[in-house]
Amino acid sequence: MVPQARDTDILILGAGGAGLFAALHAHKAAPELSISVAVKGLLGKCGCTRMVQGGYNVALAKEDSVERHFMDTIEGGKWLPDQELAWKLVTLAIERIHELENELGCFFDRNPDGTVHQKAFAGQTFDRTVHKGDLTGIEIMNRLAEQVWARRIQRLEEHRAVELVKSADGASIAGALFIDMRTGEYLFVRAKAVLLATGGGPTMYRYHTPSGDKSCDGLAMALRAGLALRDMEMVQFHPTGLLAGTHTRMTGTVLEEGLRGSGGYLLGGDKQRFMPNYDPKAERATRDFVSRAMFSEIRKGNTTPHGGLYISMAHLGAERVRKEFKGMVERCADCGFDLAGGLVEVVPTAHYMMGGVEFAADCTTGLAGLFVAGEDSGGVHGANRLGGNGVANSTVFGAVAGDAMAVWVQEHGRFSPPADFDLARYERPFNLPRGDLEAIREKLYDTMWQRVGIIRDAPGLKRALGELEALDAALDETGIGSQARAFNLSWHDWLNLKSLVAVSRVIAQSALAREDSRGAHYRDDFPDTGDLATSAYTSITADGRVAMKPVAFTRVRPGQSLLKHAA
Ligand SMILES: Cc1cc2nc3c(=O)[nH]c(=O)nc-3n(C[C@H](O)[C@H](O)[C@H](O)COP(=O)(O)OP(=O)(O)OC[C@H]3O[C@@H](n4cnc5c(N)ncnc54)[C@H](O)[C@@H]3O)c2cc1C
């Protein structure tokens, strides 16, 4: 089977906030270059940027400052963020929000005096989250997609990237290999520069929030291309995922943080509050604390019929809850729960991966011509991402990547002859007897939730690594029982699981290597934070080797602050 081939100067993998911003910026910087955006789903309709509810962090108010946003990001990240990346995030977020409003046409909520309304989000010392009601992501993605459609930018929709193809001499990127999901045919796209922006996505956990098209393909491809991933043990769980049984995909979706923020209670299966036993801030503690306390209660067996816990809002008054949380009340009602007056079953749900490809502040990676941005990248958030810093990250670094790729292609860009690629890796499930992919997925969910999830220890992580190895071997013996190629969902499911298992292994290996507890990573056998002044981050390659690399405190050291009054 010989892949079709085509050429483009700049190839962008993924069409979320990062991919689309990159396309627009590259086009603006160098309109003469050909740019192609390839995406597993439909452009503008998939990925997690579209799902952003809460909003976008940016220091706009006179009383706020980039220094304050920076310090919140560094302290929230438990001193593990790369400080140059975090600085770029907070400073360029201001440019991007103005571009979103004034050039791309986003309407964000405003105060009566005409200034942009900014709301409170957990972990921040200032109310700096810009939003459009609770549908901020739809506003951003619709405007971005319209602008991409209006320009001479090629779209490869329902094209799944399966491999980053290096040049024959191995020195640079030569392009990427795709499966056209509509026909099942392979396509090789030769490119001078490639952006990896497929958005990570911890969908290997039993309960998760990201969109179903995200299966860590980009991270798995980066590992196979020899790139190092950092902070992979840092997986953020959101405390209140809806738990409505296995028959609905609503299970795992987020019930917003404001429910706890406004005074909601979490109850065990015994209908008693348990958070005050764990933390003086009770339900208003940060996401990592609350998730951990919830997981402990679940482990004790104090659970609801579906094995989770309850959120209760009724004591705030049903009318108020209906008014303030209309969307959430409706979502719960769809699943048979009465949020305003009754109890709703919830469970912590895997939300975001702080880890990703190691990269520099201009979005370059260890492979010449390959750039990375958004949730596929690592180092901006360290051990924890502040709510609202996710979409800021993807739009800020997407734009940086677009600008940088345009310059790079103009200065160094050339089409390189590609190294050989072997289609056998993707063809494998066609040549094996039909097996049970669902059983493999269930086992993966169990392993990751029980042993590589919210509370970890060495015996559990070692056991998980054995189980993940066995799952990978099982996948290699599992066929899909069909030769159909067009929209063969079993084939894509198989490919998804291959990526998820590969990335699960590096999460478990990195978690085993980090012998302390920071932010999203908690080790029962190493509960202390460790010395902040000698903080190191994990860096892992495909061979499973983990290096602990010291964090460079380029702007501020633990115990110091950039804020004048705190110095
Ligand atoms: C429910 C939910 C609510 C959130 N709310 C907020 C919030 O309020 N504030 C905030 O800051 N952040 C929030 N986030 C996080 C935020 O969505 C992400 O940080 C950010 O949008 C990621 O942008 P991205 O461009 O990196 O990835 P995405 O927007 O996820 O885009 C990834 C793209 O890559 C494509 N893709 C994947 N695999 C392949 C492949 N193999 N080949 C080709 N294309 C591929 C996907 O189809 C998609 O188009 C939320 C996330 C979720 C899930």
Side-chain angles (χ1 to χ4, degrees), residues 67-97:
E67 287 81 5
R68 186 181 282 272
H69 187 183
F70 175 80
M71 288 310 301
D72 285 348
T73 301
I74 298 298
E75 283 170 354
K78 307 294 172 209
W79 294 88
L80 287 189
D82 177 298
Q83 298 195 354
E84 294 315 302
L85 297 179
W87 185 253
K88 205 143 200 174
L89 172 81
V90 300
T91 49
L92 293 186
I94 299 173
E95 274 181 27
R96 290 295 72 75
I97 209 78

PDB file of all heavy atoms in Angstrom, residues 67-97:
ATOM      1  N   GLU A  67       2.980  40.286  36.879  1.00  0.00           N
ATOM      2  CA  GLU A  67       3.797  39.687  37.953  1.00  0.00           C
ATOM      3  C   GLU A  67       2.911  38.840  38.877  1.00  0.00           C
ATOM      4  O   GLU A  67       3.289  37.760  39.298  1.00  0.00           O
ATOM      5  CB  GLU A  67       4.503  40.775  38.779  1.00  0.00           C
ATOM      6  CG  GLU A  67       5.663  41.456  38.076  1.00  0.00           C
ATOM      7  CD  GLU A  67       5.214  42.557  37.110  1.00  0.00           C
ATOM      8  OE1 GLU A  67       3.995  42.859  37.068  1.00  0.00           O
ATOM      9  OE2 GLU A  67       6.077  43.106  36.394  1.00  0.00           O
ATOM     10  N   ARG A  68       1.732  39.373  39.163  1.00  0.00           N
ATOM     11  CA  ARG A  68       0.820  38.638  40.059  1.00  0.00           C
ATOM     12  C   ARG A  68       0.323  37.359  39.373  1.00  0.00           C
ATOM     13  O   ARG A  68       0.286  36.290  39.980  1.00  0.00           O
ATOM     14  CB  ARG A  68      -0.366  39.549  40.423  1.00  0.00           C
ATOM     15  CG  ARG A  68      -1.304  38.952  41.447  1.00  0.00           C
ATOM     16  CD  ARG A  68      -2.444  39.909  41.722  1.00  0.00           C
ATOM     17  NE  ARG A  68      -2.056  40.993  42.594  1.00  0.00           N
ATOM     18  CZ  ARG A  68      -2.104  40.951  43.929  1.00  0.00           C
ATOM     19  NH1 ARG A  68      -2.537  39.863  44.522  1.00  0.00           N
ATOM     20  NH2 ARG A  68      -1.735  41.960  44.645  1.00  0.00           N
ATOM     21  N   HIS A  69      -0.038  37.472  38.106  1.00  0.00           N
ATOM     22  CA  HIS A  69      -0.474  36.287  37.355  1.00  0.00           C
ATOM     23  C   HIS A  69       0.673  35.265  37.306  1.00  0.00           C
ATOM     24  O   HIS A  69       0.470  34.055  37.491  1.00  0.00           O
ATOM     25  CB  HIS A  69      -0.900  36.715  35.936  1.00  0.00           C
ATOM     26  CG  HIS A  69      -1.522  35.613  35.121  1.00  0.00           C
ATOM     27  ND1 HIS A  69      -1.915  35.788  33.823  1.00  0.00           N
ATOM     28  CD2 HIS A  69      -1.802  34.318  35.398  1.00  0.00           C
ATOM     29  CE1 HIS A  69      -2.432  34.662  33.343  1.00  0.00           C
ATOM     30  NE2 HIS A  69      -2.357  33.741  34.279  1.00  0.00           N
ATOM     31  N   PHE A  70       1.881  35.771  37.107  1.00  0.00           N
ATOM     32  CA  PHE A  70       3.065  34.893  37.053  1.00  0.00           C
ATOM     33  C   PHE A  70       3.254  34.176  38.390  1.00  0.00           C
ATOM     34  O   PHE A  70       3.440  32.959  38.444  1.00  0.00           O
ATOM     35  CB  PHE A  70       4.293  35.737  36.711  1.00  0.00           C
ATOM     36  CG  PHE A  70       5.601  34.988  36.730  1.00  0.00           C
ATOM     37  CD1 PHE A  70       5.973  34.202  35.652  1.00  0.00           C
ATOM     38  CD2 PHE A  70       6.463  35.084  37.813  1.00  0.00           C
ATOM     39  CE1 PHE A  70       7.182  33.514  35.657  1.00  0.00           C
ATOM     40  CE2 PHE A  70       7.674  34.401  37.822  1.00  0.00           C
ATOM     41  CZ  PHE A  70       8.028  33.621  36.755  1.00  0.00           C
ATOM     42  N   MET A  71       3.194  34.928  39.493  1.00  0.00           N
ATOM     43  CA  MET A  71       3.414  34.309  40.807  1.00  0.00           C
ATOM     44  C   MET A  71       2.324  33.279  41.112  1.00  0.00           C
ATOM     45  O   MET A  71       2.612  32.219  41.671  1.00  0.00           O
ATOM     46  CB  MET A  71       3.465  35.372  41.920  1.00  0.00           C
ATOM     47  CG  MET A  71       4.724  36.227  41.939  1.00  0.00           C
ATOM     48  SD  MET A  71       6.288  35.311  41.884  1.00  0.00           S
ATOM     49  CE  MET A  71       6.192  34.284  43.344  1.00  0.00           C
ATOM     50  N   ASP A  72       1.095  33.566  40.734  1.00  0.00           N
ATOM     51  CA  ASP A  72       0.019  32.579  40.948  1.00  0.00           C
ATOM     52  C   ASP A  72       0.317  31.293  40.165  1.00  0.00           C
ATOM     53  O   ASP A  72       0.084  30.183  40.647  1.00  0.00           O
ATOM     54  CB  ASP A  72      -1.337  33.152  40.490  1.00  0.00           C
ATOM     55  CG  ASP A  72      -1.890  34.181  41.482  1.00  0.00           C
ATOM     56  OD1 ASP A  72      -1.364  34.277  42.602  1.00  0.00           O
ATOM     57  OD2 ASP A  72      -2.849  34.896  41.109  1.00  0.00           O
ATOM     58  N   THR A  73       0.839  31.484  38.938  1.00  0.00           N
ATOM     59  CA  THR A  73       1.129  30.323  38.083  1.00  0.00           C
ATOM     60  C   THR A  73       2.284  29.501  38.656  1.00  0.00           C
ATOM     61  O   THR A  73       2.233  28.266  38.694  1.00  0.00           O
ATOM     62  CB  THR A  73       1.471  30.818  36.652  1.00  0.00           C
ATOM     63  OG1 THR A  73       0.346  31.564  36.174  1.00  0.00           O
ATOM     64  CG2 THR A  73       1.775  29.674  35.707  1.00  0.00           C
ATOM     65  N   ILE A  74       3.321  30.187  39.137  1.00  0.00           N
ATOM     66  CA  ILE A  74       4.493  29.487  39.680  1.00  0.00           C
ATOM     67  C   ILE A  74       4.130  28.802  40.999  1.00  0.00           C
ATOM     68  O   ILE A  74       4.472  27.632  41.223  1.00  0.00           O
ATOM     69  CB  ILE A  74       5.664  30.482  39.907  1.00  0.00           C
ATOM     70  CG1 ILE A  74       6.088  31.116  38.579  1.00  0.00           C
ATOM     71  CG2 ILE A  74       6.839  29.809  40.615  1.00  0.00           C
ATOM     72  CD1 ILE A  74       6.608  30.164  37.544  1.00  0.00           C
ATOM     73  N   GLU A  75       3.428  29.525  41.864  1.00  0.00           N
ATOM     74  CA  GLU A  75       3.087  28.921  43.167  1.00  0.00           C
ATOM     75  C   GLU A  75       2.050  27.810  42.977  1.00  0.00           C
ATOM     76  O   GLU A  75       2.151  26.751  43.614  1.00  0.00           O
ATOM     77  CB  GLU A  75       2.615  30.001  44.146  1.00  0.00           C
ATOM     78  CG  GLU A  75       3.820  30.762  44.672  1.00  0.00           C
ATOM     79  CD  GLU A  75       3.481  32.010  45.470  1.00  0.00           C
ATOM     80  OE1 GLU A  75       2.293  32.384  45.538  1.00  0.00           O
ATOM     81  OE2 GLU A  75       4.433  32.615  46.014  1.00  0.00           O
ATOM     82  N   GLY A  76       1.102  28.025  42.077  1.00  0.00           N
ATOM     83  CA  GLY A  76       0.129  26.963  41.775  1.00  0.00           C
ATOM     84  C   GLY A  76       0.831  25.727  41.231  1.00  0.00           C
ATOM     85  O   GLY A  76       0.455  24.605  41.534  1.00  0.00           O
ATOM     86  N   GLY A  77       1.866  25.946  40.433  1.00  0.00           N
ATOM     87  CA  GLY A  77       2.627  24.839  39.816  1.00  0.00           C
ATOM     88  C   GLY A  77       3.677  24.256  40.732  1.00  0.00           C
ATOM     89  O   GLY A  77       4.493  23.442  40.303  1.00  0.00           O
ATOM     90  N   LYS A  78       3.675  24.701  42.010  1.00  0.00           N
ATOM     91  CA  LYS A  78       4.587  24.184  43.049  1.00  0.00           C
ATOM     92  C   LYS A  78       6.056  24.293  42.629  1.00  0.00           C
ATOM     93  O   LYS A  78       6.838  23.386  42.822  1.00  0.00           O
ATOM     94  CB  LYS A  78       4.240  22.726  43.410  1.00  0.00           C
ATOM     95  CG  LYS A  78       2.801  22.494  43.790  1.00  0.00           C
ATOM     96  CD  LYS A  78       2.433  23.204  45.079  1.00  0.00           C
ATOM     97  CE  LYS A  78       0.930  23.120  45.336  1.00  0.00           C
ATOM     98  NZ  LYS A  78       0.388  24.221  46.070  1.00  0.00           N
ATOM     99  N   TRP A  79       6.381  25.411  42.001  1.00  0.00           N
ATOM    100  CA  TRP A  79       7.748  25.759  41.640  1.00  0.00           C
ATOM    101  C   TRP A  79       8.362  24.840  40.590  1.00  0.00           C
ATOM    102  O   TRP A  79       9.558  24.873  40.359  1.00  0.00           O
ATOM    103  CB  TRP A  79       8.641  25.869  42.886  1.00  0.00           C
ATOM    104  CG  TRP A  79       8.183  27.026  43.719  1.00  0.00           C
ATOM    105  CD1 TRP A  79       7.223  26.993  44.698  1.00  0.00           C
ATOM    106  CD2 TRP A  79       8.555  28.397  43.577  1.00  0.00           C
ATOM    107  NE1 TRP A  79       6.987  28.264  45.183  1.00  0.00           N
ATOM    108  CE2 TRP A  79       7.801  29.145  44.517  1.00  0.00           C
ATOM    109  CE3 TRP A  79       9.471  29.073  42.753  1.00  0.00           C
ATOM    110  CZ2 TRP A  79       7.925  30.521  44.641  1.00  0.00           C
ATOM    111  CZ3 TRP A  79       9.605  30.446  42.874  1.00  0.00           C
ATOM    112  CH2 TRP A  79       8.837  31.152  43.822  1.00  0.00           C
ATOM    113  N   LEU A  80       7.546  24.070  39.912  1.00  0.00           N
ATOM    114  CA  LEU A  80       8.080  23.240  38.827  1.00  0.00           C
ATOM    115  C   LEU A  80       7.958  23.876  37.442  1.00  0.00           C
ATOM    116  O   LEU A  80       8.643  23.439  36.521  1.00  0.00           O
ATOM    117  CB  LEU A  80       7.379  21.874  38.790  1.00  0.00           C
ATOM    118  CG  LEU A  80       7.741  20.875  39.884  1.00  0.00           C
ATOM    119  CD1 LEU A  80       7.133  19.509  39.566  1.00  0.00           C
ATOM    120  CD2 LEU A  80       9.244  20.744  40.051  1.00  0.00           C
ATOM    121  N   PRO A  81       7.098  24.910  37.225  1.00  0.00           N
ATOM    122  CA  PRO A  81       7.022  25.447  35.864  1.00  0.00           C
ATOM    123  C   PRO A  81       8.369  25.986  35.384  1.00  0.00           C
ATOM    124  O   PRO A  81       9.185  26.441  36.187  1.00  0.00           O
ATOM    125  CB  PRO A  81       6.012  26.608  35.975  1.00  0.00           C
ATOM    126  CG  PRO A  81       5.194  26.303  37.181  1.00  0.00           C
ATOM    127  CD  PRO A  81       6.138  25.597  38.130  1.00  0.00           C
ATOM    128  N   ASP A  82       8.564  25.937  34.069  1.00  0.00           N
ATOM    129  CA  ASP A  82       9.687  26.635  33.451  1.00  0.00           C
ATOM    130  C   ASP A  82       9.324  28.115  33.499  1.00  0.00           C
ATOM    131  O   ASP A  82       8.307  28.538  32.935  1.00  0.00           O
ATOM    132  CB  ASP A  82       9.844  26.155  32.006  1.00  0.00           C
ATOM    133  CG  ASP A  82      10.943  26.888  31.278  1.00  0.00           C
ATOM    134  OD1 ASP A  82      10.845  28.140  31.105  1.00  0.00           O
ATOM    135  OD2 ASP A  82      11.901  26.231  30.861  1.00  0.00           O
ATOM    136  N   GLN A  83      10.151  28.908  34.146  1.00  0.00           N
ATOM    137  CA  GLN A  83       9.750  30.297  34.416  1.00  0.00           C
ATOM    138  C   GLN A  83       9.710  31.155  33.152  1.00  0.00           C
ATOM    139  O   GLN A  83       8.919  32.100  33.071  1.00  0.00           O
ATOM    140  CB  GLN A  83      10.658  30.898  35.486  1.00  0.00           C
ATOM    141  CG  GLN A  83      10.523  30.139  36.808  1.00  0.00           C
ATOM    142  CD  GLN A  83      11.096  30.864  38.006  1.00  0.00           C
ATOM    143  OE1 GLN A  83      11.720  31.918  37.875  1.00  0.00           O
ATOM    144  NE2 GLN A  83      10.885  30.301  39.187  1.00  0.00           N
ATOM    145  N   GLU A  84      10.532  30.820  32.168  1.00  0.00           N
ATOM    146  CA  GLU A  84      10.475  31.613  30.924  1.00  0.00           C
ATOM    147  C   GLU A  84       9.182  31.317  30.164  1.00  0.00           C
ATOM    148  O   GLU A  84       8.569  32.215  29.568  1.00  0.00           O
ATOM    149  CB  GLU A  84      11.707  31.350  30.058  1.00  0.00           C
ATOM    150  CG  GLU A  84      13.002  31.835  30.694  1.00  0.00           C
ATOM    151  CD  GLU A  84      12.857  33.247  31.286  1.00  0.00           C
ATOM    152  OE1 GLU A  84      12.517  34.178  30.537  1.00  0.00           O
ATOM    153  OE2 GLU A  84      13.073  33.407  32.511  1.00  0.00           O
ATOM    154  N   LEU A  85       8.763  30.056  30.200  1.00  0.00           N
ATOM    155  CA  LEU A  85       7.493  29.711  29.541  1.00  0.00           C
ATOM    156  C   LEU A  85       6.324  30.370  30.267  1.00  0.00           C
ATOM    157  O   LEU A  85       5.405  30.918  29.642  1.00  0.00           O
ATOM    158  CB  LEU A  85       7.303  28.192  29.515  1.00  0.00           C
ATOM    159  CG  LEU A  85       8.326  27.380  28.715  1.00  0.00           C
ATOM    160  CD1 LEU A  85       8.022  25.881  28.814  1.00  0.00           C
ATOM    161  CD2 LEU A  85       8.346  27.814  27.252  1.00  0.00           C
ATOM    162  N   ALA A  86       6.366  30.326  31.597  1.00  0.00           N
ATOM    163  CA  ALA A  86       5.262  30.913  32.374  1.00  0.00           C
ATOM    164  C   ALA A  86       5.209  32.429  32.158  1.00  0.00           C
ATOM    165  O   ALA A  86       4.119  33.021  32.063  1.00  0.00           O
ATOM    166  CB  ALA A  86       5.430  30.586  33.853  1.00  0.00           C
ATOM    167  N   TRP A  87       6.369  33.046  32.045  1.00  0.00           N
ATOM    168  CA  TRP A  87       6.408  34.501  31.813  1.00  0.00           C
ATOM    169  C   TRP A  87       5.796  34.838  30.461  1.00  0.00           C
ATOM    170  O   TRP A  87       5.022  35.787  30.303  1.00  0.00           O
ATOM    171  CB  TRP A  87       7.857  35.002  31.927  1.00  0.00           C
ATOM    172  CG  TRP A  87       7.939  36.493  31.820  1.00  0.00           C
ATOM    173  CD1 TRP A  87       8.406  37.212  30.763  1.00  0.00           C
ATOM    174  CD2 TRP A  87       7.506  37.448  32.805  1.00  0.00           C
ATOM    175  NE1 TRP A  87       8.289  38.555  31.024  1.00  0.00           N
ATOM    176  CE2 TRP A  87       7.742  38.734  32.266  1.00  0.00           C
ATOM    177  CE3 TRP A  87       6.947  37.336  34.078  1.00  0.00           C
ATOM    178  CZ2 TRP A  87       7.440  39.896  32.961  1.00  0.00           C
ATOM    179  CZ3 TRP A  87       6.644  38.500  34.769  1.00  0.00           C
ATOM    180  CH2 TRP A  87       6.884  39.755  34.213  1.00  0.00           C
ATOM    181  N   LYS A  88       6.158  34.035  29.465  1.00  0.00           N
ATOM    182  CA  LYS A  88       5.606  34.248  28.126  1.00  0.00           C
ATOM    183  C   LYS A  88       4.078  34.093  28.165  1.00  0.00           C
ATOM    184  O   LYS A  88       3.345  34.861  27.535  1.00  0.00           O
ATOM    185  CB  LYS A  88       6.216  33.228  27.165  1.00  0.00           C
ATOM    186  CG  LYS A  88       6.220  33.679  25.756  1.00  0.00           C
ATOM    187  CD  LYS A  88       7.463  33.242  25.021  1.00  0.00           C
ATOM    188  CE  LYS A  88       7.646  34.098  23.803  1.00  0.00           C
ATOM    189  NZ  LYS A  88       8.868  33.869  23.087  1.00  0.00           N
ATOM    190  N   LEU A  89       3.623  33.094  28.914  1.00  0.00           N
ATOM    191  CA  LEU A  89       2.171  32.874  29.028  1.00  0.00           C
ATOM    192  C   LEU A  89       1.472  34.116  29.555  1.00  0.00           C
ATOM    193  O   LEU A  89       0.510  34.616  28.957  1.00  0.00           O
ATOM    194  CB  LEU A  89       1.907  31.692  29.979  1.00  0.00           C
ATOM    195  CG  LEU A  89       0.441  31.471  30.329  1.00  0.00           C
ATOM    196  CD1 LEU A  89      -0.267  30.695  29.221  1.00  0.00           C
ATOM    197  CD2 LEU A  89       0.289  30.714  31.647  1.00  0.00           C
ATOM    198  N   VAL A  90       1.957  34.643  30.668  1.00  0.00           N
ATOM    199  CA  VAL A  90       1.210  35.731  31.316  1.00  0.00           C
ATOM    200  C   VAL A  90       1.338  37.041  30.549  1.00  0.00           C
ATOM    201  O   VAL A  90       0.403  37.845  30.533  1.00  0.00           O
ATOM    202  CB  VAL A  90       1.629  35.910  32.807  1.00  0.00           C
ATOM    203  CG1 VAL A  90       1.353  34.638  33.585  1.00  0.00           C
ATOM    204  CG2 VAL A  90       3.088  36.324  32.970  1.00  0.00           C
ATOM    205  N   THR A  91       2.477  37.261  29.906  1.00  0.00           N
ATOM    206  CA  THR A  91       2.636  38.539  29.192  1.00  0.00           C
ATOM    207  C   THR A  91       1.889  38.518  27.852  1.00  0.00           C
ATOM    208  O   THR A  91       1.184  39.471  27.511  1.00  0.00           O
ATOM    209  CB  THR A  91       4.125  38.878  28.973  1.00  0.00           C
ATOM    210  OG1 THR A  91       4.786  37.734  28.431  1.00  0.00           O
ATOM    211  CG2 THR A  91       4.803  39.256  30.266  1.00  0.00           C
ATOM    212  N   LEU A  92       2.017  37.416  27.110  1.00  0.00           N
ATOM    213  CA  LEU A  92       1.378  37.391  25.785  1.00  0.00           C
ATOM    214  C   LEU A  92      -0.130  37.119  25.845  1.00  0.00           C
ATOM    215  O   LEU A  92      -0.835  37.341  24.863  1.00  0.00           O
ATOM    216  CB  LEU A  92       2.068  36.356  24.890  1.00  0.00           C
ATOM    217  CG  LEU A  92       3.514  36.703  24.520  1.00  0.00           C
ATOM    218  CD1 LEU A  92       4.077  35.694  23.523  1.00  0.00           C
ATOM    219  CD2 LEU A  92       3.621  38.112  23.925  1.00  0.00           C
ATOM    220  N   ALA A  93      -0.616  36.645  27.002  1.00  0.00           N
ATOM    221  CA  ALA A  93      -2.070  36.441  27.125  1.00  0.00           C
ATOM    222  C   ALA A  93      -2.793  37.770  26.893  1.00  0.00           C
ATOM    223  O   ALA A  93      -3.903  37.798  26.337  1.00  0.00           O
ATOM    224  CB  ALA A  93      -2.408  35.876  28.497  1.00  0.00           C
ATOM    225  N   ILE A  94      -2.160  38.866  27.270  1.00  0.00           N
ATOM    226  CA  ILE A  94      -2.803  40.186  27.101  1.00  0.00           C
ATOM    227  C   ILE A  94      -2.965  40.497  25.604  1.00  0.00           C
ATOM    228  O   ILE A  94      -4.048  40.890  25.151  1.00  0.00           O
ATOM    229  CB  ILE A  94      -1.970  41.278  27.807  1.00  0.00           C
ATOM    230  CG1 ILE A  94      -1.905  40.969  29.305  1.00  0.00           C
ATOM    231  CG2 ILE A  94      -2.556  42.661  27.558  1.00  0.00           C
ATOM    232  CD1 ILE A  94      -0.982  41.864  30.100  1.00  0.00           C
ATOM    233  N   GLU A  95      -1.890  40.263  24.839  1.00  0.00           N
ATOM    234  CA  GLU A  95      -1.981  40.482  23.377  1.00  0.00           C
ATOM    235  C   GLU A  95      -3.050  39.595  22.752  1.00  0.00           C
ATOM    236  O   GLU A  95      -3.817  40.013  21.902  1.00  0.00           O
ATOM    237  CB  GLU A  95      -0.650  40.112  22.713  1.00  0.00           C
ATOM    238  CG  GLU A  95       0.372  41.199  22.694  1.00  0.00           C
ATOM    239  CD  GLU A  95       1.649  40.728  21.993  1.00  0.00           C
ATOM    240  OE1 GLU A  95       1.599  39.831  21.125  1.00  0.00           O
ATOM    241  OE2 GLU A  95       2.714  41.255  22.363  1.00  0.00           O
ATOM    242  N   ARG A  96      -3.074  38.316  23.181  1.00  0.00           N
ATOM    243  CA  ARG A  96      -4.006  37.362  22.548  1.00  0.00           C
ATOM    244  C   ARG A  96      -5.456  37.712  22.857  1.00  0.00           C
ATOM    245  O   ARG A  96      -6.323  37.561  22.012  1.00  0.00           O
ATOM    246  CB  ARG A  96      -3.731  35.929  23.014  1.00  0.00           C
ATOM    247  CG  ARG A  96      -2.457  35.281  22.535  1.00  0.00           C
ATOM    248  CD  ARG A  96      -2.365  35.053  21.041  1.00  0.00           C
ATOM    249  NE  ARG A  96      -2.167  36.285  20.282  1.00  0.00           N
ATOM    250  CZ  ARG A  96      -1.024  36.979  20.194  1.00  0.00           C
ATOM    251  NH1 ARG A  96       0.044  36.584  20.827  1.00  0.00           N
ATOM    252  NH2 ARG A  96      -0.955  38.078  19.468  1.00  0.00           N
ATOM    253  N   ILE A  97      -5.731  38.164  24.083  1.00  0.00           N
ATOM    254  CA  ILE A  97      -7.138  38.447  24.404  1.00  0.00           C
ATOM    255  C   ILE A  97      -7.595  39.665  23.597  1.00  0.00           C
ATOM    256  O   ILE A  97      -8.720  39.712  23.112  1.00  0.00           O
ATOM    257  CB  ILE A  97      -7.357  38.609  25.927  1.00  0.00           C
ATOM    258  CG1 ILE A  97      -8.773  38.180  26.313  1.00  0.00           C
ATOM    259  CG2 ILE A  97      -7.136  40.022  26.421  1.00  0.00           C
ATOM    260  CD1 ILE A  97      -9.000  36.736  26.400  1.00  0.00           C
TER     261      ILE A  97
END
